[in-house]
Amino acid sequence: MGRTSKLRELMGAIKDKASQSKAAILCKLNTNTLSSSSSLHLTLLRATTHDPFAPPNPKSLAALLSFGLSSRATASSAVESLMDRLQTTHDSAVALKCLLAVHHVIKYGSFILQDQLSVYPAGGGRNYLNLSNFRDDSTPVAWELSSWVRWYAQYIENLLLTSRLLGFFVGSNSCIVEKDKEEERVSALLNGNLVRETESLVSLLDGICKRPESLGLGGNRLVIEVLGLVGEDQISAMNEISVRVNEFDERLNCLSFGDSVELLGALKRSEDCEGRLLAVPNVKNDLVEGFWGLIREMKTKVGKEKESNNKLMATMRVEKESYSESARFGDRVLRPSDWVRFSSGRLAVDAFHLSTIQSCAR
């Protein structure tokens, strides 16, 4: 590590110490009405220090999450303060720790805290983190961490969008859905909605595959902490995809041509992720292999169904053209046997046209 990096670390440590000391003094001096705000500020500073190698202190993260255990207004202030620090900082370590804190809210936060996160900002209800252009070129380490900030921000955005579509936070410990209930909910979805949920979950896996290469950050504990949370989400997403793929297996014969095409595309994207996802510890290899086997099997089935639909449409097209020719040059003379009389005695329908309508309806 060069002198510039060491100097930057020292300046960051001094800045953290000064900011936290100031916030601690204000906590003691402030009245009861302001003590909560000062306490939140101090907690946030402790959870998002400038150290580019150390992850947030678990006690500081737990203290930050505790602001979601009281009133909705307090939870809203906590989310707003966290987002403000994320949007205003130019330090890659601080930004990455803010994103890690947001991820902790998604995974471990109370319902009120998660609810405030899902509707932030209050005016738009969408969660655009807008960090795609984040750059910190103060040191080589900061520059490399910047790529992780950009990727992690995009991943968190995608996670929030997918969770909003599914109706619960993917990977959240407080939103764990029993498998039977989740299968029941999925079985009630329309085909189009089921395809959209599957595509969104696959996009999470695809996003994980696009993580930066840790050339100089192999032993960085902050990056390892990030990958640990993302790895847990990965397993949750794979489980959710499996539930939906099994449901598609039951509906294979009633999928429209368009739904089959979109599903096949999602399955191919999912299969492309094999070998590129995170190696998650404490997960049995046979479970992972079973997932990929399920994806390959369903992709084959959907491909055959799509091919069968293509042949059927081609056959119908030929029959339609043949019918058009016969209608143009066939016998146009109506005979008494060509009529169907109803009980009213006033309605008559051309039996030939009636059979054509019925065949088209089928």
Side-chain angles (χ1 to χ4, degrees):
M1 184 184 299
R3 291 185 59 186
T4 304
S5 298
K6 289 183 178 180
L7 182 61
R8 175 65 186 271
E9 274 194 59
L10 180 59
M11 291 177 60
I14 294 173
K15 187 175 182 180
D16 288 335
K17 188 68 175 178
S19 300
Q20 292 176 29
S21 298
K22 180 181 177 181
I25 293 173
L26 290 176
C27 279
K28 294 179 180 179
L29 295 178
N30 281 333
T31 60
N32 291 334
T33 56
L34 298 176
S35 60
S36 177
S37 177
S38 300
S39 176
L40 171 60
H41 182 58
L42 176 60
T43 301
L44 188 57
L45 289 174
R46 288 173 173 170
T48 58
T49 62
H50 291 74
D51 189 339
F53 298 100
N57 189 305
K59 291 184 179 179
S60 299
L61 287 174
L64 182 61
L65 295 180
S66 69
F67 286 93
L69 301 177
S70 54
S71 66
R72 188 173 294 274
T74 302
S76 177
S77 297
V79 170
E80 186 175 356
S81 298
L82 176 58
M83 290 301 185
D84 285 345
R85 184 156 173 80
L86 174 62
Q87 295 293 330
T88 56
T89 187
H90 299 287
D91 188 280
S92 56
V94 173
L96 198 59
K97 290 177 184 180
C98 285
L99 291 169
L100 194 59
V102 172
H103 205 166
H104 270 260
V105 171
I106 294 173
K107 192 164 184 64
Y108 305 112
S110 65
F111 171 79
I112 296 178
L113 201 60
Q114 291 176 343
D115 183 57
Q116 292 303 305
L117 178 64
S118 67
V119 298
Y120 180 88
R126 299 297 294 274
N127 212 310
Y128 295 115
L129 301 180
N130 195 25
L131 293 174
S132 58
N133 296 319
F134 184 90
R135 298 287 189 281
D136 179 4
D137 58 358
S138 57
T139 66
V141 173
W143 177 257
E144 193 163 0
L145 278 180
S146 296
S147 63
W148 283 92
V149 171
R150 295 191 296 272
W151 169 78
Y152 200 21
Q154 185 177 17
Y155 172 78
I156 292 294
E157 286 176 346
N158 201 2
L159 179 61
L160 289 169
L161 290 173
T162 300
S163 299
R164 187 177 293 117
L165 180 63
L166 268 61
F168 60 88
F169 284 99
V170 178
S172 172
N173 287 6
S174 59
C175 296
I176 295 177
V177 183
E178 294 181 13
K179 185 176 180 180
D180 292 342
K181 291 184 178 180
E182 175 64 0
E183 290 177 352
E184 182 179 352
R185 187 193 75 83
V186 168
S187 65
L189 292 173
L190 297 175
N191 289 343
N193 294 335
L194 192 58
V195 170
R196 281 189 289 274
E197 287 192 0
T198 305
E199 288 178 327
S200 190
L201 287 163
V202 170
S203 70
L204 276 183
L205 299 185
D206 189 42
I208 295 173
C209 294
K210 296 176 181 177
R211 64 192 180 278
E213 295 183 6
S214 303
L215 298 178
L217 300 174
N220 189 302
R221 291 187 295 122
L222 177 55
V223 172
I224 293 173
E225 183 80 9
V226 169
L227 293 178
L229 286 183
V230 174
E232 293 176 5
D233 291 345
Q234 175 182 299
I235 298 302
S236 297
M238 292 169 74
N239 289 334
E240 294 296 334
I241 291 173
S242 296
V243 172
R244 285 153 183 79
V245 169
N246 286 326
E247 178 61 26
F248 277 121
D249 196 21
E250 300 292 330
R251 305 186 185 189
L252 204 55
N253 294 329
C254 61
L255 289 178
S256 68
F257 180 76
D259 289 338
S260 297
V261 172
E262 293 181 12
L263 175 59
L264 187 60
L267 293 172
K268 287 181 178 179
R269 286 175 56 205
S270 178
E271 192 176 33
D272 290 341
C273 294
E274 187 176 6
R276 299 163 56 209
L277 292 174
L278 294 169
V280 182
N282 302 322
V283 176
K284 296 181 179 179
N285 290 332
D286 56 344
L287 295 178
V288 177
E289 290 300 323
F291 172 78
W292 296 121
L294 179 65
I295 295 298
R296 286 190 289 268
E297 180 182 357
M298 181 53 61
K299 192 187 79 167
T300 301
K301 289 182 178 180
V302 175
K304 290 181 178 179
E305 189 69 20
K306 178 187 172 185
E307 184 178 351
S308 176
N309 288 337
N310 284 336
K311 292 181 179 179
L312 179 61
M313 292 178 66
T315 302
M316 292 176 63
R317 192 178 299 113
V318 171
E319 290 180 350
K320 182 179 179 181
E321 293 174 356
S322 175
Y323 165 71
S324 299
E325 291 297 322
S326 64
R328 288 174 58 191
F329 301 105
D331 184 11
R332 304 190 183 199
V333 180
L334 294 179
R335 296 180 294 273
S337 59
D338 292 329
W339 293 83
V340 175
R341 295 194 177 275
F342 292 85
S343 56
S344 63
R346 293 182 299 160
L347 298 176
V349 179
D350 188 339
F352 180 79
H353 290 170
L354 179 60
S355 63
T356 302
I357 294 172
Q358 290 174 338
S359 63
C360 290
R362 287 196 294 268

